[in-house]
Coordinates of all heavy atoms in Angstrom, one line a residue:
L253 N 6.2 6.5 5.3 CA 6.5 5.0 5.5 C 5.3 4.4 5.9 O 4.8 4.7 7.1 CB 7.7 4.8 6.3 CG 9.0 5.5 6.0 CD1 10.0 5.2 7.1 CD2 9.4 5.0 4.7
A254 N 4.6 3.6 5.1 CA 3.3 3.0 5.5 C 3.4 1.6 6.0 O 2.4 1.0 6.4 CB 2.2 3.0 4.4
Y255 N 4.5 1.0 5.7 CA 4.8 -0.5 6.2 C 3.7 -1.4 5.8 O 3.1 -2.3 6.6 CB 5.0 -0.4 7.8 CG 6.1 0.4 8.2 CD1 6.0 1.6 8.8 CD2 7.4 0.0 7.9 CE1 7.1 2.4 9.2 CE2 8.5 0.7 8.2 CZ 8.4 1.9 8.9 OH 9.5 2.7 9.4
G256 N 3.3 -1.4 4.6 CA 2.4 -2.3 4.0 C 0.9 -1.8 4.0 O 0.1 -2.6 3.6
G257 N 0.6 -0.7 4.7 CA -0.7 -0.1 4.8 C -0.9 0.8 3.6 O -0.1 1.1 2.8
F258 N -2.1 1.3 3.5 CA -2.5 2.3 2.4 C -3.0 3.6 3.0 O -3.3 4.5 2.3 CB -3.5 1.6 1.5 CG -3.0 0.5 0.8 CD1 -3.5 -0.8 1.1 CD2 -2.1 0.5 -0.2 CE1 -3.1 -1.9 0.3 CE2 -1.7 -0.5 -0.8 CZ -2.0 -1.7 -0.6
N259 N -3.2 3.6 4.3 CA -3.7 4.8 4.9 C -2.6 5.9 5.0 O -1.9 5.9 6.1 CB -4.3 4.6 6.3 CG -5.0 5.8 6.9 OD1 -5.0 6.9 6.3 ND2 -5.6 5.7 8.1
L260 N -2.5 6.8 4.1 CA -1.3 7.6 3.9 C -1.9 9.2 4.2 O -1.2 10.1 4.1 CB -0.7 7.7 2.6 CG -0.3 6.3 2.0 CD1 0.4 6.5 0.7 CD2 0.7 5.6 3.1
C261 N -3.1 9.2 4.9 CA -3.6 10.7 5.1 C -2.7 11.4 6.1 O -2.4 10.9 7.2 CB -4.9 10.5 5.8 SG -5.7 12.1 6.2
P262 N -2.1 12.5 5.6 CA -1.3 13.3 6.4 C -1.8 14.0 7.6 O -1.0 14.5 8.4 CB -0.4 14.2 5.5 CG -1.6 14.5 4.4 CD -2.3 13.1 4.2
S263 N -3.2 14.1 7.7 CA -3.8 14.8 8.8 C -3.4 14.3 10.1 O -3.4 13.1 10.3 CB -5.2 14.9 8.6 OG -5.9 15.3 9.8
E264 N -3.0 15.2 11.0 CA -2.7 14.5 12.4 C -3.9 14.0 13.1 O -3.8 13.2 14.0 CB -2.1 15.7 13.2 CG -0.6 16.1 12.7 CD -0.1 17.3 13.5 OE1 0.5 16.9 14.6 OE2 -0.2 18.4 13.1
A265 N -5.2 14.3 12.7 CA -6.3 13.8 13.2 C -6.4 12.3 13.0 O -6.9 11.5 13.6 CB -7.5 14.5 12.8
C266 N -5.9 11.9 11.7 CA -6.0 10.6 11.1 C -4.8 9.9 11.5 O -4.9 8.6 11.8 CB -6.2 10.6 9.6 SG -7.8 11.3 9.1
N267 N -3.7 10.4 11.4 CA -2.4 9.7 11.6 C -1.5 10.5 12.7 O -0.5 11.1 12.3 CB -1.6 9.4 10.4 CG -2.3 8.2 9.6 OD1 -2.4 7.1 10.2 ND2 -2.5 8.4 8.4
P268 N -2.0 10.5 13.9 CA -1.1 11.3 14.9 C 0.2 10.5 15.1 O 0.4 9.4 14.8 CB -2.0 11.2 16.1 CG -2.8 10.0 16.0 CD -2.9 9.8 14.5
A269 N 1.1 11.4 15.6 CA 2.4 10.8 16.0 C 2.3 9.7 17.1 O 3.1 8.9 17.1 CB 3.4 11.9 16.5
D270 N 1.4 9.9 18.0 CA 1.2 8.9 19.0 C -0.3 8.6 19.1 O -1.2 9.4 19.0 CB 1.6 9.5 20.4 CG 3.0 9.9 20.4 OD1 4.0 9.0 20.2 OD2 3.4 11.0 20.7
G271 N -0.6 7.3 19.3 CA -2.1 6.9 19.5 C -2.7 6.6 18.2 O -2.0 6.6 17.0
E272 N -4.0 6.3 18.2 CA -4.8 5.9 17.0 C -5.5 7.2 16.5 O -5.9 8.0 17.2 CB -5.7 4.8 17.5 CG -5.1 3.5 17.7 CD -6.1 2.4 17.9 OE1 -7.3 2.7 17.7 OE2 -5.8 1.3 18.3
G273 N -5.7 7.2 15.2 CA -6.3 8.3 14.6 C -7.7 8.0 14.3 O -8.3 6.9 14.7
S274 N -8.4 9.0 13.5 CA -9.8 8.8 13.4 C -10.1 8.3 11.9 O -11.3 8.3 11.6 CB -10.4 10.1 13.6 OG -9.9 11.2 12.8
C275 N -9.2 8.0 11.1 CA -9.6 7.5 9.7 C -10.0 6.1 9.8 O -9.6 5.3 10.6 CB -8.3 7.5 8.8 SG -8.1 9.1 7.9
E276 N -10.8 5.8 8.8 CA -11.2 4.4 8.6 C -10.1 3.7 7.9 O -9.7 4.1 6.8 CB -12.5 4.2 7.7 CG -12.9 2.7 7.4 CD -14.1 2.7 6.6 OE1 -15.2 3.2 6.9 OE2 -14.1 2.0 5.5
L277 N -9.5 2.7 8.5 CA -8.3 2.0 8.0 C -8.7 1.0 6.9 O -9.7 0.4 7.0 CB -7.5 1.2 9.1 CG -7.0 2.2 10.3 CD1 -6.3 1.2 11.3 CD2 -5.9 3.2 9.7
P278 N -7.8 0.9 5.8 CA -8.2 0.0 4.8 C -7.8 -1.4 5.3 O -7.4 -1.6 6.4 CB -7.0 0.4 3.7 CG -6.0 1.1 4.5 CD -6.6 1.8 5.6
A279 N -8.1 -2.4 4.4 CA -8.0 -3.7 4.8 C -6.6 -4.2 5.0 O -6.3 -5.0 6.0 CB -8.6 -4.7 3.6
A280 N -5.6 -3.7 4.3 CA -4.2 -4.1 4.5 C -3.7 -3.3 5.8 O -3.5 -2.1 5.7 CB -3.4 -3.7 3.2
K281 N -3.4 -4.1 6.8 CA -3.0 -3.5 8.0 C -1.5 -3.4 8.0 O -0.7 -4.2 7.6 CB -3.4 -4.4 9.2 CG -4.8 -4.6 9.4 CD -5.6 -3.3 9.7 CE -7.1 -3.7 9.9 NZ -7.9 -2.4 10.1
P282 N -0.9 -2.2 8.3 CA 0.5 -2.0 8.4 C 1.2 -2.9 9.5 O 0.5 -3.1 10.5 CB 0.6 -0.5 8.6 CG -0.5 -0.1 9.3 CD -1.7 -1.0 8.8
T283 N 2.4 -3.1 9.2 CA 3.2 -3.9 10.3 C 3.7 -3.0 11.4 O 3.9 -3.4 12.4 CB 4.4 -4.6 9.7 OG1 5.2 -3.6 8.9 CG2 4.0 -5.6 8.6

């Protein structure tokens, strides 16, 4: 569930369960 964003990288380094990840986020910010 990306809630309007496009950063779907499943790595926990990029999208951890808590806190911010290390991926460069795309322009569309998720809600």
Side-chain angles (χ1 to χ4, degrees):
L253 303 177
Y255 298 109
F258 296 110
N259 181 5
L260 308 183
C261 177
S263 168
E264 291 181 83
C266 291
N267 281 306
D270 299 303
E272 294 188 4
S274 59
C275 267
E276 176 180 305
L277 296 178
K281 303 296 184 181
T283 58

